[in-house]
Structures are given as C-alpha cells and as structure tokens.
Amino acid sequence: MCTSRSVMRVAALFLMTGLLCGCASLFPRDVVPKRLIDEAELTGMPNIRVWGDAPPEALAALSTIKQIRRKPNAAHGRLGQQSDELNILAISGGGDNGAFGAGLLVGWGDAGTRPEFDLVTGVSAGALTAPFVYLGRSRDAALKEVFTRYERSDIYDPGVVAPLLGSGLVDSSPLESLIAKYVDDQFLRDIAMERRRGRVLLIGTTNLDAQRPVLWDVGRIAMSNHPQALPLFRKILLASASVPGAFPPVRIKVSVADRTYEELHVDGGVTQQVFVPRPSTIIRTDVPTKKAAARLFIIRNGKISPEWEAVEPGIFSISLRSISTLIKNQSIGDLYRIYAKAEIDGTDFNLAAISSTFRATREASFEQGYMQALYTEGYRSGFEGYRWIKAPPGIAKNPKPLGHFSSSASPPASQSAELR
C-alpha cells in the first residue's frame, strides 16, 4: 500500500535508523541459497508462481486462458455467447487511494457494462481489490465495504515498535485479520471454480532476497485442495500490501531437495506498481494458432499528473516527498512499458487514474471520510461512463467513454490536462 503518508513516514524513519545502526535481525531464518532460488517450490503446490521479470514464455505458463461460457449480464452478451476477444484488468497499488479503483469498478458494474475479465492482476492495494472483481458482481458489496468501512486501526497498529525489536515499525496483524475475515473457505472455493472455467487471477509480491517480482497464480493455489492453500492465499495478499520497513515482511516456506527454507515477501509495488503479461504471450486453448484480440484496462490508484506542494525543510518532509515522487514516477514508467508492448501487439489500451481535479485531503492514512469521498468519485465515474485515457502522460490520444470504444468525442479539459 505504497502511498499512505503516515506509513511512508515510519518507513523512512526505519530506513534511516537501519542505515545508522546496521543492526542484525533478531529473527534468523534459513535463506534460500542464490544457486537454488529458481528451484524453490511450495511443497505440494508446484507451478503456482513465476518470476515477474521472467521471459515471455515463462509468463505464458501462468496465462493459459480457456474458452469460457460467459455468465448472464456480462458485457459480452447472453450466457453461452463466445468471443475471441480477451478482457484484461490490471489494478495498481495506492494504499487508501485504492478506494478510487474499488468505486470505479463497482460503479462500472452497476452500470451494467463491466465485462467479465479473463485475466485480472493486482499489486498492493490492487491485490486486495483483484480477487473480489475476479469473482464478479456478487462480491461488489464486500469490495465497497473493504475500502469505505475501515480505518487506520483496522489496517495496522499505529503504535511504533523500535526497529531493534522486529522487522517492521508497525503491527500488521489487523490487516491480516481483515483479510481472513473476507478470504474464507467459501471464498477460496469460488476462486477455484472460476480458475477451472479458464479465468486467471495473478497477485504480485516482491522477493526481498532476490530483488525480483513474483507473480502468484492464486487460482491454482485455490484449486490445489492443499491444507495450506487458504493460509498461503491470505499470506500472499498480506505480503503484496506490506510496505517494507513499515510492515513486517511475510515469511513463506519453500523447499528445495527435501530441505525447507524461508523467503521474505513484501509489497509487490516495490518492483512493479502495476503489471500484466503481454496479451501476445497469452495461450488460448480454444484457438491456439490465432492471435487473440485484447482490451486492456489499467486502474492506477493515484494521480498521474504532477501535484505541487510546499515542502517543509525538515528531513521527514523531504524524505516523504521524495518517496512519493519516486513511487509516482515508477508507476508512470510501468505504464509506458505496458503501453509500448500494447502498441506492438495491437492491444486496446485503457487507463484510469484519479483526476487532478479531485481535491479531498486527509491528515492521516486510511481516514474514512477521505476514502469514502474517493470511493464516491470513482463510483460516479464508473457509473456514468469513465472516459478512459488511451495513453500514458505525454502521449496525446483522446479518452473514450467506458463501454463505448468507438467514440471519438473530445476529452474534458481536466483529463486533457492529464495527458499533456
């Protein structure tokens, strides 16, 4: 949840303290040796993950889409109607700004034009959104609740823990409990059912030892019927949303040659603010020799335009502003990378971001009033027909209304400014 101001403040404090004291961890673990990192697997659950920076053919192993029978009221039409077109959704990190994406998706669903996505990916706050959207409109009420009902104390214990006493400055057990409240046995069974239909749900984390992104096919985890499937599913969501330094990293046990090791996984946004396999690498089992047409929807839970702010000369203000600027520009870099590949593949690129005209502010992270206002803004945009941005900042292309992909209408002035 990379843009939460108070969380980033304590993360900056942790980083500076660590540089000054260089203290050793009080919680030793068996680290996977470098020579074995590509062989590490979870016992009884093979082929459930891949490096996020792996070659396209490796990513394709997690992106095999079957021809599926559409559910009633899906945007593609009647039940049983087939389409060669892929609908792909990628949801970024953003901390409490995740309320925007949640609102947009629920509003889009209530408008009756939200498609059933063949592939859904999520990072950080997006990882907490993606499973609900993957399961469809029946989970929209729960998605709204996650991003409008809870406060900071429901996400983490704001009491600061000295860096010498652990691997994070705050206690993330409230978020762990919140995930467990929604992700139960029935939730897992529903995920497994959709994966069997051929749809894919990928969640991104960061392997700290390797400094590399990891993509988890959590649908395959759900299908495994392994006794540890539910705890692992929850751990992956927690890890993807765990800001390193502020939240403790999540330890995941793996095995190599009958020996058990522990990996450390943190916020997927550390390595990728948003990700999606190239549509050209996705394997269609029903049309294996045919290139699939694709519509790609990216929700960036943040603003992509520069935001002026008078920065105080203190070290915390400077550090906080620098980190938030770094994250914003990292996310824009991710968008350019995805856009370039989409252009090569002929993929219909659609981007949503918080408008530069949204002015609500908050004094601390996860304030209910702020999140409710942002959710309402997203919901209104989704319900009325969001004018999707057709390119990252600096590339002038007209937005198109949600659900009307042949429109050539000019964008509103506020969104035109975001494209410049």
Side-chain angles (χ1 to χ4, degrees):
M1 292 190 167
C2 280
T3 61
S4 170
R5 295 178 65 87
S6 59
V7 170
M8 285 198 297
R9 185 176 292 111
V10 294
L13 173 62
F14 177 85
L15 292 173
M16 289 185 289
T17 305
L19 289 172
L20 290 173
C21 71
C23 51
S25 170
L26 298 181
F27 302 96
R29 63 189 172 93
D30 286 331
V31 181
V32 181
K34 180 181 178 181
R35 71 182 186 280
L36 299 177
I37 59 173
D38 291 329
E39 301 175 34
E41 287 190 341
L42 286 90
T43 303
M45 286 185 278
N47 304 318
I48 60 169
R49 64 181 189 171
V50 68
W51 295 113
D53 55 4
E57 57 270 19
L59 294 177
L62 290 188
S63 307
T64 300
I65 306 291
K66 296 179 183 178
Q67 186 182 38
I68 63 174
R69 295 181 64 83
R70 301 289 176 187
K71 290 182 177 179
N73 300 322
H76 280 279
R78 297 181 300 275
L79 179 64
Q81 183 176 345
Q82 306 293 352
S83 171
D84 289 341
E85 188 173 57
L86 292 173
N87 286 296
I88 303 169
L89 174 67
I91 313 171
S92 83
D96 49 10
N97 283 332
F100 167 75
L104 189 150
L105 287 161
V106 175
W108 190 2
D110 285 350
T113 54
R114 189 177 89 195
E116 181 180 64
F117 298 102
D118 302 284
L119 171 65
V120 180
T121 75
V123 172
S124 196
L128 303 181
T129 304
F132 294 93
V133 179
Y134 177 78
L135 291 180
R137 294 202 57 207
S138 65
R139 302 283 177 160
D140 281 1
L143 176 59
K144 176 183 178 180
E145 190 173 276
V146 168
F147 283 95
T148 60
R149 177 177 176 180
Y150 302 103
E151 298 179 329
R152 180 174 60 168
S153 60
D154 297 304
I155 306 298
Y156 65 90
D157 186 340
V160 175
V161 179
L164 289 174
L165 298 180
S167 52
L169 282 179
V170 298
D171 179 10
S172 61
S173 60
L175 177 58
E176 186 176 9
S177 298
L178 190 61
I179 291 171
K181 174 181 176 180
Y182 290 94
V183 181
D184 56 14
D185 289 324
Q186 184 60 54
F187 195 96
L188 202 68
R189 285 193 291 270
D190 291 344
I191 293 285
M193 181 177 68
E194 293 305 314
R195 188 64 179 91
R196 290 189 186 97
R197 292 180 62 226
R199 301 172 60 232
V200 178
L201 171 62
L202 302 179
I203 301 297
T205 66
T206 297
N207 182 315
L208 271 185
D209 295 313
Q211 286 190 325
R212 296 175 70 182
V214 179
L215 309 185
W216 300 81
D217 185 340
V218 292
R220 284 184 178 171
I221 294 173
M223 287 196 307
S224 71
N225 294 320
H226 193 282
Q228 291 300 310
L230 182 57
L232 177 61
F233 194 111
R234 292 169 174 172
K235 277 190 173 185
I236 292 167
L237 296 186
L238 178 63
S240 188
S242 293
V243 181
F247 288 12
V250 174
R251 297 184 176 213
I252 295 180
K253 291 184 178 181
V254 296
S255 60
V256 182
D258 297 325
R259 180 171 174 179
T260 300
Y261 300 94
E262 275 191 331
E263 298 175 340
L264 290 185
H265 287 259
V266 297
D267 196 324
V270 171
T271 44
Q272 297 180 127
Q273 282 290 309
V274 64
F275 73 91
V276 64
R278 287 182 66 173
S280 60
T281 67
I282 295 174
I283 299 172
R284 292 289 298 274
T285 58
D286 55 315
V287 282
T289 62
K290 182 178 179 181
K291 180 181 177 181
R295 297 192 301 179
L296 170 60
F297 301 92
I298 299 175
I299 296 179
R300 172 60 191 140
N301 286 308
K303 295 181 180 180
I304 57 176
S305 54
E307 300 169 83
W308 188 90
E309 180 181 307
V311 180
E312 297 295 327
I315 186 170
F316 292 115
S317 296
I318 292 172
S319 298
L320 180 63
R321 182 65 169 174
S322 298
I323 293 172
S324 64
T325 302
L326 175 66
I327 291 170
K328 173 177 286 190
N329 284 278
Q330 176 199 358
S331 71
I332 292 173
D334 289 338
L335 295 176
Y336 270 96
R337 171 178 49 81
I338 295 171
Y339 175 76
K341 294 176 181 178
E343 285 287 284
I344 293 171
D345 293 343
T347 299
D348 181 21
F349 180 94
N350 300 276
L351 170 65
I354 299 174
S355 172
S356 59
T357 61
F358 181 75
R359 300 301 186 192
T361 60
R362 74 281 209 201
E363 294 297 322
S365 59
F366 303 102
E367 288 183 352
Q368 266 194 350
Y370 173 79
M371 295 178 70
Q372 288 169 353
L374 192 52
Y375 177 90
T376 299
E377 172 74 7
Y379 182 90
R380 179 193 58 77
S381 298
F383 187 77
E384 294 178 358
Y386 186 83
R387 299 189 65 82
W388 292 89
I389 303 168
K390 302 303 294 181
I395 300 177
K397 284 194 174 183
N398 286 345
K400 292 183 179 180
L402 190 154
H404 301 281
F405 295 94
S406 62
S407 171
S408 59
S410 299
S414 61
Q415 293 206 18
S416 296
E418 290 185 339
L419 293 173
R420 291 196 290 268

